[in-house]
Amino acid sequence: MEYAGLSHEEMATLQSGGSLSIDQADRMIENVVGVYGLPLGIATNFLLNGRDYLIPMVVEEPSVVAGLSYAARLVRQGGGFQTSSDEPVMIGQMQVLDVPDPAAARLRLLAAKEELLTFANQLDPIIVRLGGGARDIQVRLMDDSPVGPMLVVHLLYDVRDAMGANAVNTAAEALSPLVESLTGGRVGLRILSNLADHRLARAQGVVPAEALALEGLTPQEGVQRLLEAYAFAAVDPYRAATHNKGIMNGIDAVVIATGNDWRAIEAGAHTYAARSGTYRPLTAWERNANGDLVGSIELPLAVGTVGGATRVHPQAQVALKILGVSGARELAQVMAAVGLAQNLAALRALAMEGIQRGHMQLHARQVAMAAGASGDMVERVAARLVEEKVVRVDRAEAILAELRAQGS
Ligand code: MEV
């Protein structure tokens, strides 16, 4: 932990007993009866825009952290990840009902844009001082809905280093009376959209073909296997769902480690994947002019480094320190790279060796624990399960009973 410059206290925070206290938990949600633990691991080998990163990940699934570290090493061999991200602009939605003349009302709203933005910018002087605040007004006319026509007003609001739900919800609520007087309608819902498509993050990376000369394949065969695996997701939503799930294995783990809202990120990612009307993979894999594999990813990533659980949760603060990001935009870029690498890890394993082989050892340990093994018995039972190629709890229980009988 020297690399991340952690103090003894911060180190202790990462270890057992240093996590969220019951008092802190009690202030976060209602009816608290306990604190629920999950493993926190660190993925390595990440080179991003020329800088090294350690990636804290909170996840219960075996192979995710190891797979990510392995894939990051492959991309490192091609020069690492290049990333970018948009300004942190969120969408606050206002639903306007009972508008007598919706088409004309839309134009009245657009004509009053400056007035609306100026009003919104008076609400939170701090965010404006930091360089954020209201940026634009967009108005969409829904000709029909189950309750007739409606106008949907979008307030685009730069939330700087926050996830921004509070800031944008507050602004949407405050703007509503003005929207009502301009439209002659009635504002119904006022809430952010999780399809944060003004807040996209992107990553790309090259894997040299030679690095894919695995499992007895030539470099070009290795690249071809990966392209075929991607092609499956590109044409089939059933496969794309699983492909994207693997991407989110990595992204969610960092989202959770940093105290961010993983449901918001999930909602945005999957809606963005379906934006064309067909559910599509969030990554693309191609062969470049040199014959190497090149991957790219783009998705909305509304995450913050200030506010919410990022500041309340002691381990989230340490996770942010380990990452060493300057703010929300850089954090989103790291997450995009993680998503791309996690996808590479999965496709590599699936296309070359089948997922079960790599999973088996780690899975066997979980099964051994589920069967009641503890201490060094976990490894002993797991080793037997792998040897027998039967990774099942009933078998683990039988092996455990056998080993205990031998011991006593
Ligand atoms: C398992 O959690 C994730 C994978 O299914 C992803 C994929 O199939 O691409 C391995």
Side-chain angles (χ1 to χ4, degrees):
M1 287 295 105
E2 256 167 54
Y3 181 87
L6 298 190
S7 66
H8 288 298
E9 263 173 29
E10 285 163 340
M11 275 298 295
T13 299
L14 288 183
Q15 283 145 14
S16 66
S19 75
L20 197 64
S21 71
I22 197 97
D23 278 352
Q24 286 164 322
D26 204 31
R27 271 177 261 129
M28 285 171 82
I29 67 160
E30 311 74 39
N31 298 359
V32 167
V33 295
V35 176
Y36 182 105
L38 282 171
L40 167 62
I42 304 269
T44 55
N45 301 326
F46 264 80
L47 179 64
L48 216 132
N49 302 329
R51 206 201 109 185
D52 287 312
Y53 288 80
L54 292 172
I55 314 288
M57 305 181 81
V58 169
V59 63
E60 87 298 346
E61 183 173 330
S63 300
V64 170
V65 178
L68 186 65
S69 304
Y70 174 81
R73 186 148 52 81
L74 295 182
V75 176
R76 176 179 277 267
Q77 290 171 34
F81 298 92
Q82 282 78 50
T83 63
S84 66
S85 53
D86 296 335
E87 297 283 338
V89 172
M90 294 296 283
I91 300 170
Q93 294 198 291
M94 287 161 270
Q95 173 201 29
V96 197
L97 301 152
D98 302 336
V99 181
D101 52 352
R106 177 173 169 273
L107 298 192
R108 287 199 296 278
L109 284 165
L110 292 176
K113 186 180 282 189
E114 288 313 316
E115 187 189 346
L116 290 161
L117 296 179
T118 305
F119 182 84
N121 275 331
Q122 285 160 4
L123 301 167
D124 191 340
I126 295 175
I127 216 158
V128 172
R129 192 154 17 93
L130 291 170
R135 291 282 182 266
D136 202 2
I137 298 283
Q138 297 175 339
V139 190
R140 296 153 64 227
L141 170 54
M142 307 301 182
D143 286 324
D144 201 12
S145 81
V147 294
M150 68 177 76
L151 283 176
V152 178
V153 182
H154 282 187
L155 167 67
L156 303 193
Y157 195 93
D158 184 325
V159 297
R160 298 285 89 193
D161 286 322
M163 184 274 183
N166 283 333
V168 78
N169 290 340
T170 305
E173 286 189 11
L175 266 189
S176 292
L178 201 48
V179 167
E180 288 184 337
S181 73
L182 285 161
T183 58
R186 174 173 60 85
V187 173
L189 302 190
R190 298 150 301 171
I191 186 74
L192 90 172
S193 171
N194 288 122
L195 178 53
D197 62 0
H198 292 273
R199 201 176 181 180
L200 301 175
R202 305 167 196 86
Q204 57 175 302
V206 173
V207 183
E210 296 79 64
L212 295 170
L214 302 160
E215 311 276 328
L217 301 173
T218 67
Q220 282 313 314
E221 284 168 348
V223 172
Q224 184 61 23
R225 288 279 182 100
L226 267 286
L227 294 176
E228 289 166 1
Y230 161 66
F232 186 3
V235 296
D236 179 11
Y238 285 90
R239 171 59 204 151
T242 324
H243 178 105
N244 288 346
K245 188 274 183 183
I247 292 170
M248 301 314 288
N249 273 346
I251 293 178
D252 282 340
V254 186
V255 173
I256 297 170
T258 55
N260 276 290
D261 180 345
W262 71 92
R263 288 87 55 211
I265 296 304
E266 283 281 335
H270 296 293
T271 317
Y272 192 69
R275 69 193 181 286
S276 67
T278 305
Y279 188 86
R280 307 236 327 131
L282 288 164
T283 54
W285 293 97
E286 298 159 307
R287 187 185 269 120
N288 70 12
N290 290 333
D292 297 325
L293 183 72
V294 51
S296 50
I297 186 169
E298 180 183 66
L299 76 164
L301 279 166
V303 287
T305 55
V306 297
T310 52
R311 284 288 168 233
V312 178
H313 197 294
Q315 289 179 322
Q317 285 185 48
V318 178
L320 281 168
K321 181 159 182 190
I322 292 170
L323 276 163
V325 289
S326 61
R329 286 179 71 181
E330 188 180 344
L331 178 58
Q333 292 177 36
V334 171
M335 289 174 179
V338 165
L340 182 63
Q342 199 76 57
N343 183 224
L344 173 63
L347 296 187
R348 210 277 314 163
L350 289 166
M352 293 187 180
E353 65 184 30
I355 207 78
Q356 282 317 103
R357 196 172 92 195
H359 262 296
M360 184 111 81
Q361 185 71 37
L362 287 160
H363 179 54
R365 277 191 220 147
Q366 281 192 343
V367 170
M369 284 192 276
S374 60
D376 67 347
M377 276 295 187
V378 176
E379 287 306 325
R380 291 175 64 189
V381 174
R384 281 275 298 277
L385 293 172
V386 171
E387 194 182 296
E388 295 176 14
K389 293 196 170 65
V390 183
V391 187
R392 283 201 325 255
V393 175
D394 59 337
R395 185 64 198 132
E397 282 166 354
I399 295 169
L400 188 61
E402 204 182 292
L403 290 175
R404 280 185 179 145
Q406 280 170 15
S408 60

